[in-house]
Structures are given as C-alpha cells and as structure tokens.
Amino acid sequence: MRKRERDILRVLGIDPGLAIVGFGFIDKQGHRLVPVQFGSIQTEAGTDPAVRLQQIYESALQLIDRYKPDAMAIEKLYFNKNVTTALTVGQARGVLLLAAVQKGLAIAEYTPLQVKQATVGYGQAEKRQVQEMVRMMLRLAEAPKPDDVADALAIAICHAHSAELAQKLNGVLKR
C-alpha cells in the first residue's frame, strides 16, 4: 500500500503532444481536489522524432516514479484536419500509454468534450473558460501555463469526478 491514505486518489492527467506534453497530478480527498504537481515535458523542434518520443517516455517514467499516481487520464485522440499533427500526437500518446502500463497504472481516456463538460459543465466551452475553472477548482493563484498544462489538469479533474461516479455505480451494480 502506498503511503497516502486509502481514501485519496492520485490522478495523473496528460495532454499529449510531441513538442509539449502537459501533465498534472491531483489528489482527490473526499470532495476536495488538491494540486500536487503540474508542468510540461518539452522537446526541441528539429530533433529526430524518435529521440523526442524517447525523451517523452523517459520523462513520463520519472514523473510516475516520483509522484506515484493511482491512475493516468489522457486525452483521446480525435480526428484532426492536420493528419501530420494527429499522427505525431498519436505517437506521443503511445509512449505515454506504454509508460503507464509498464508502471501498472489504471488508464482512462476522455474526449475534449467530456473534459469540458466535467470542468465547465458545457461541452463547447472555450479554452479560457476551462483554464479559469481549473484555476478555481484547484484554488490556484493563476491559470497554469502553457495551455497544455491547464488542459492536463482539466483531464485529471475529469477523471477524478468520473472515477467517483464509476465507483458508486460499480457498488450499486454489485449489490
């Protein structure tokens, strides 16, 4: 058992990308959401894409080892008009999912619509609305930067709320 209390769920939220991977660790303590650590993994443009993916993978492993989340929530890949961008994001997602599986984490995937609904209550919310709700929900002085970090925290918040609902439904269904 981890050093945290049993009723605390630590979630790693991930906003995948090749240039910037936003990450955010939050603890769900009862009905409270507490930020633990957040930031970004950044890779340098012009570097071989395989090397960039290795950097993302190794950084993810280090973060998981350091903050010991119970679950990882990651944004689902959705069709993008720019196929090249979608492919590189998909590759980054792949190495991030591999890191999570290797560390034994439960994995959940959420669409941008689900994340917006969970944080703002409206699936068509603008990015700045999501950022402001993340700031308010986590009691932060300012919205995290870059945007990818705020998005990662929103994904973690979405999972924290969804996991609680799933747990309640699972308990009802098992009766």
Side-chain angles (χ1 to χ4, degrees), residues 18-71:
L18 187 62
I20 301 174
V21 174
F23 69 85
F25 291 88
I26 64 169
D27 282 351
K28 183 170 190 325
Q29 302 173 350
H31 294 293
R32 288 186 51 220
L33 298 175
V34 179
V36 175
Q37 182 61 276
F38 50 89
S40 62
I41 301 166
Q42 298 189 19
T43 63
E44 193 171 325
T47 303
D48 182 289
V51 171
R52 294 172 86 178
L53 291 170
Q54 180 183 17
Q55 292 169 346
I56 291 168
Y57 171 75
E58 290 174 352
S59 295
L61 289 175
Q62 289 173 0
L63 286 167
I64 292 168
D65 283 342
R66 182 168 184 186
Y67 295 102
K68 300 183 180 356
D70 300 302

Side-chain angles (χ1 to χ4, degrees), residues 77-131:
L77 187 59
Y78 57 94
F79 180 75
N80 193 318
K81 292 179 185 173
N82 184 338
V83 176
T84 304
T85 300
L87 288 173
T88 59
V89 171
Q91 290 172 331
R93 280 183 86 252
V95 299
L96 291 159
L97 290 169
L98 175 60
V101 166
Q102 286 184 332
K103 293 297 181 176
L105 299 182
I107 299 170
E109 300 177 81
Y110 299 97
T111 65
L113 177 72
Q114 289 172 308
V115 173
K116 290 175 181 180
Q117 286 175 330
T119 54
V120 180
Y122 174 60
Q124 301 303 315
E126 295 177 20
K127 193 169 273 292
R128 65 176 176 73
Q129 291 173 300
V130 173
Q131 292 168 347

Side-chain angles (χ1 to χ4, degrees), residues 146-157:
D147 295 350
D148 312 80
V149 177
D151 291 346
L153 287 166
I155 294 164
I157 290 167

